[in-house]
Amino acid sequence: MTGFDHSHWLDREPYSMNAAEKSGALTEAMRDLTEWHRDHCAEYGRILDLVAEHTPVEALEDVPFIPVRLFKELDLMSIGKDQVFKMMTSSGTSGQQVSRIYLDKETAALQSKVLARLMGEVLGRKRLPMLVIDSPSVLRNRNAFSARGAGILGFSLFGQDVTYALDDDMKLDIPAVEAFLERHSDQPIFLFGFTFMIWQHFYTPLKAMGKRLPIDKGILLHGGGWKKLQDQAVGNAEFRAAMAECAGIARVVNYYGMVEQTGSIFLECEEGHLHAPIYADVIIRDPSNFQALEAGKTGLIEVMSLIPRSYPGHALLTEDIGRIEGEDDCRCGRRGKYFTVAGRVAKAEVRGCSDTYEKHS
């Protein structure tokens, strides 16, 4: 399977390849994408000339990677400007530089197809009534329409009767939520939001009111960083318990992903592990020499995805710290690597829709 014939990848179940099969197929795809971007993105080609010109790509660890923050410094694209279909930006605090990601129609379509395959694992094939724990104003405010707005729009494709739980002032709109729940009583509900905003604008006011919403059949997908909650000593277990307490939500799924590789998100399983699907992979690198580390060792997270064709974002070194917990043997039954994220490198800029959230945005 190559990096350009996507039909074979999309025909497979997202977690169906064992380590040996995936390594060979994904290495070939990454090699193709590397050469494509070398030939079509002059800046990327010059970087490879400096660091990787003569290095053969025989394994995923050999694929040249670039730091994700490079998309804040340079306009990197492997297409002509007349082919740009959409530009996406990362989330950021006021005054912070943001990444600029240029998509052509092919890359945007592949993002949607891969995300649909992954979301099928969470929601099944049927579109569910969807409650977005955010404000509709995020889609009207051009300054805030970045990763946050794109995330809401992207996941809304998997919902129906999409309803916002917060008003324009980010206050919980109880009448709107209760009317939505009445329309869909006794049905599975898809809830989506960014981790800190769910805590601050959904759980906290419900707790203050002493109110519990009847969403026992809810499936909550959330992401966007944990820093603000970790600062409040709230971890994954506390977050899950809070969702059960305020709304009876038993199924809570965290995800790890970034705008620079939209589509190939890493979903959390029932065992609390983030899983790499067949379309993507994770390598942990030693921050002192960037050598790949074995499972169980903590280091910088590198993410790989076969989606990016319009920009050289197929192998990116993040500023997040994590650890591979295992491969092909998670108790949930999914194949592939599974990992955990421990946080950000010291002094790295905060990122993620939750961690960069400011109430005035």
Side-chain angles (χ1 to χ4, degrees):
M1 290 186 277
T2 72
F4 303 109
D5 182 5
H6 301 128
S7 59
H8 295 291
W9 294 96
L10 294 170
D11 285 343
R12 298 288 298 264
E13 295 296 321
Y15 305 100
S16 60
M17 287 187 183
N18 62 31
E21 183 184 10
K22 179 177 176 181
S23 177
L26 197 59
T27 297
E28 184 180 348
M30 290 291 112
R31 189 189 300 126
D32 290 346
L33 281 169
T34 299
E35 293 310 311
W36 164 266
H37 293 304
R38 183 201 294 270
D39 292 341
H40 292 83
C41 178
E43 294 87 351
Y44 180 76
R46 283 195 286 274
I47 293 169
L48 292 200
D49 288 343
L50 288 172
V51 302
E53 184 179 11
H54 303 298
T55 304
V57 175
E58 297 177 348
L60 287 174
E61 291 78 6
D62 302 328
V63 176
F65 58 85
I66 60 175
V68 70
R69 65 164 45 237
L70 213 54
F71 289 93
K72 296 180 179 179
E73 310 289 338
L74 301 172
D75 286 321
L76 296 172
M77 33 181 148
S78 302
I79 53 174
K81 288 184 179 176
D82 59 335
Q83 295 176 280
V84 174
F85 169 66
K86 184 192 299 181
M87 186 188 78
M88 300 175 72
T89 59
S90 61
S91 50
T93 57
S94 298
Q96 194 177 17
Q97 273 188 297
V98 295
S99 294
R100 301 174 300 280
I101 305 300
Y102 298 91
L103 305 179
D104 61 359
K105 288 184 178 178
E106 181 185 358
T107 303
L110 186 58
Q111 287 179 343
S112 297
K113 290 175 183 173
V114 169
L115 191 59
R117 296 290 284 141
L118 293 170
M119 288 303 296
E121 294 284 307
V122 179
L123 302 176
R125 294 185 179 275
K126 190 176 175 184
R127 293 170 68 199
L128 301 181
M130 180 177 183
L131 188 63
V132 178
I133 304 177
D134 210 317
S135 163
S137 63
V138 72
L139 300 180
R140 295 196 295 265
N141 183 348
R142 292 185 62 185
N143 292 325
F145 187 76
S146 59
R148 185 170 154 201
I152 292 170
L153 281 181
F155 286 112
S156 293
L157 294 174
F158 310 104
Q160 57 164 302
D161 189 17
V162 177
T163 301
Y164 288 80
L166 309 182
D167 64 19
D168 286 349
D169 296 320
M170 296 296 287
K171 291 193 170 113
L172 185 57
D173 189 343
I174 290 288
V177 172
E178 290 185 330
F180 169 84
L181 295 177
E182 191 172 330
R183 291 196 297 275
H184 304 290
S185 59
D186 294 325
Q187 293 180 43
I189 302 289
F190 172 33
L191 301 97
F192 171 74
F194 298 103
T195 311
F196 179 72
M197 279 171 262
I198 293 171
W199 184 269
Q200 178 160 305
H201 298 299
F202 184 74
Y203 168 69
T204 301
L206 285 174
K207 184 178 182 185
M209 287 185 278
K211 192 173 183 64
R212 184 182 187 277
L213 295 171
I215 320 181
D216 300 71
K217 293 185 178 179
I219 303 169
L220 172 61
L221 179 73
H222 70 101
W226 283 89
K227 185 178 185 304
K228 282 192 172 181
L229 279 185
Q230 287 171 339
D231 291 345
Q232 297 182 26
V234 177
N236 203 355
E238 291 80 10
F239 186 86
R240 285 171 178 257
M243 295 305 107
E245 173 194 337
C246 73
I249 304 170
R251 188 166 183 203
V252 178
V253 180
N254 180 31
Y255 75 90
Y256 176 71
M258 59 199 67
V259 72
E260 293 85 354
Q261 285 188 353
T262 295
S264 55
I265 58 174
F266 302 89
L267 291 165
E268 181 186 56
C269 75
E270 300 80 0
E271 301 295 325
H273 298 134
L274 296 161
H275 278 261
I278 61 173
Y279 329 105
D281 212 350
V282 170
I283 292 172
I284 303 298
R285 293 195 179 271
D286 187 328
S288 66
N289 57 20
F290 302 117
Q291 292 297 308
L293 294 172
E294 60 192 46
K297 299 273 182 78
T298 300
L300 290 170
I301 297 175
E302 178 191 343
V303 289
M304 296 181 142
S305 169
L306 57 73
I307 293 177
R309 182 169 178 183
S310 59
Y311 63 97
H314 57 302
L316 300 175
L317 189 68
T318 75
E319 294 173 335
D320 295 324
I321 297 170
R323 182 176 65 203
I324 303 287
E325 303 290 349
E327 186 167 14
D328 290 345
D329 58 359
C330 181
R331 285 183 294 183
C332 74
R334 293 171 179 82
R335 290 179 175 174
K337 289 178 190 165
Y338 54 98
F339 65 104
T340 51
V341 179
R344 300 274 291 160
V345 174
K347 297 183 181 178
E349 290 180 330
V350 293
R351 56 173 291 151
C353 295
S354 270
D355 291 338
T356 59
Y357 168 65
E358 296 168 339
K359 192 174 179 184
H360 61 270
S361 67

